[in-house]
Structure formats: structure tokens, C-alpha cells
Amino acid sequence: MIIKRLYISSLIAGAIAIVGCAGPSMLDQNWGRSVETARYNQTLNPQAGQNLEPVESLDGQSAENTLEAYRQSFKLEENSTGYDIKLTGIGMKK
């Protein structure tokens, strides 16, 4: 009796394993689709690579000044003490 139940249980478990592993899953069908969708949604102009005209905006001196100001914005001042964080809350004195 126990052997018969064990035999039937193993057949059912084997059938479930075969059916569960057969065929493509939803994950396989949609693999990478979220990355492609995010990339597409973040692209401003998908045909930008087809435009071969030169970009005209800043002249050389203006671009150099802008780039130098950008680089200087990351340097810390020598007298800088960092950020001042003040915490106030219940039961704290100001």
C-alpha cells in the first residue's frame, strides 16, 4: 500500500516536473524587453544619427570658458569647513 502511494506520488511529481520545464516561459519571451523599452523612452531623437550636419552652438572661446567654470565647480575651497548640519527636534535645545 505504501509502495503504491509512493509510486503514484513519484509519477505525479515527475509529470509536474516535465510539464513545468517544457516550453518557453514568460520570462524567456520578454527577456531584455524592459531594458530596450527604457532605452527607447530615454532617447530624445531616434533619427539623430542620420543627421550629418555639423553642430553649431558655442564658439571655441565660449566653450572653453564654460568647460573651465564647470571644472572649477568641483574644486573645494581651502578655507571651506564643509557643510553645517543642524539637528532640531523634540526635546532638543536650540
Side-chain angles (χ1 to χ4, degrees):
M1 181 96 170
I2 293 177
I3 295 175
K4 186 177 180 181
R5 285 185 182 177
L6 184 61
Y7 179 73
I8 292 173
S9 298
S10 63
L11 283 177
I12 292 173
I16 290 173
I18 290 172
V19 171
C21 296
S25 66
M26 288 300 290
L27 178 64
D28 292 338
Q29 294 172 3
N30 294 322
W31 187 259
R33 183 146 317 150
S34 64
V35 174
E36 293 172 1
T37 304
R39 183 183 297 159
Y40 177 76
N41 289 335
Q42 293 175 11
T43 303
L44 180 63
N45 183 5
Q47 286 80 28
Q50 297 171 356
N51 184 4
L52 299 178
E53 296 178 14
V55 177
E56 298 177 12
S57 59
L58 296 176
D59 62 303
Q61 186 64 39
S62 298
E64 184 177 348
N65 292 340
T66 303
L67 184 59
E68 187 59 34
Y70 175 73
R71 288 179 180 157
Q72 292 296 327
S73 71
F74 290 102
K75 293 184 180 179
L76 292 176
E77 297 177 10
E78 294 177 9
N79 296 333
S80 176
T81 59
Y83 295 102
D84 186 21
I85 299 174
K86 296 180 182 179
L87 300 173
T88 59
I90 298 174
M92 297 181 71
K93 296 181 181 178
K94 290 186 180 182

